[in-house]
């Protein structure tokens, strides 16, 4: 029996989610008014940040098995913001606190400012229906 290789690694998932965050921040900041679509975008950001935080452990476990403790701890510290901002964004979306959502968006944007995503990306609108998923998950 041959080995099964999963091409969907935690790093690839994290990169795709970070690009989704960039796109969602652009979409949220370009909306003239707050509507249901705005809630979907903010909910998508909260879910993405929480998922990014979960991928961190999957990334560092193999390093720890090889006794790369410093590398694993450094990586955890580098990505610790995702869990904090994800919880903050979840609370803000559920309370519909738009001031906190905007402030959290700015903090997230500051963390991912070096990520480049073309205006002609093929990701579409991944946030459609995200608010219902967020509410159902609580």
């Amino acid at each position: 029996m041959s080995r099964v290789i999963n091409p969907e690694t935690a790093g690839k998932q994290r990169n795709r989610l970070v690009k989704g965050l960039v796109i969602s921040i652009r979409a949220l900041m370009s909306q003239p008014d707050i509507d249901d679509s705005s809630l979907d975008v903010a909910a998508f950001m909260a879910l993405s940040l929480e998922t990014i935080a979960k991928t961190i452990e999957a990334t560092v476990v193999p390093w720890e098995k090889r006794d790369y403790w410093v590398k694993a701890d450094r990586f955890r510290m580098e990505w610790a913001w995702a869990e904090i901002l994800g919880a903050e964004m979840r609370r803000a979306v559920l309370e519909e606190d738009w001031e906190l959502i905007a402030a959290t968006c700015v903090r997230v944007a500051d963390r991912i400012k070096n990520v480049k995503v073309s205006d002609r990306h093929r990701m579409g609108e991944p946030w459609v229906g995200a608010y219902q998923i967020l509410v159902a998950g609580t």
Side-chain angles (χ1 to χ4, degrees), residues 18-20 22-23 26 115-121 123:
V18 168
K19 287 181 180 183
V22 170
I23 294 165
R26 284 182 195 165
V115 177
K116 305 288 186 226
V117 179
S118 170
D119 290 335
R120 303 169 119 197
H121 60 81
M123 294 184 78

Side-chain angles (χ1 to χ4, degrees), residues 43-118:
F44 172 76
M45 291 178 64
L47 293 171
S48 294
L49 288 166
E50 292 170 353
T51 306
I52 288 170
K54 291 176 187 170
T55 66
I56 303 308
E57 273 311 302
T59 300
V60 299
V61 165
W63 295 343
E64 289 177 337
K65 285 182 181 176
R66 292 181 182 95
D67 293 333
Y68 296 149
W69 303 103
V70 175
K71 182 177 181 177
D73 288 342
R74 193 174 294 146
F75 192 77
R76 278 191 190 104
M77 287 188 297
E78 181 182 328
W79 285 94
W81 61 270
E83 185 175 6
I84 295 165
L85 294 179
E88 187 175 302
M89 184 64 89
R90 174 181 282 271
R91 185 173 48 83
V93 170
L94 292 175
E95 295 173 1
E96 295 188 27
D97 183 355
W98 289 103
E99 292 174 5
L100 184 57
I101 289 172
T104 306
C105 280
V106 169
R107 292 174 58 197
V108 170
D110 187 47
R111 290 293 186 164
I112 59 175
K113 63 186 170 202
N114 295 330
V115 177
K116 305 288 186 226
V117 179
S118 170

Side-chain angles (χ1 to χ4, degrees), residues 12-27:
K12 286 181 182 179
Q13 182 182 15
R14 191 170 41 254
N15 286 339
R16 190 173 54 251
L17 288 168
V18 168
K19 287 181 180 183
L21 283 172
V22 170
I23 294 165
S24 60
I25 289 171
R26 284 182 195 165

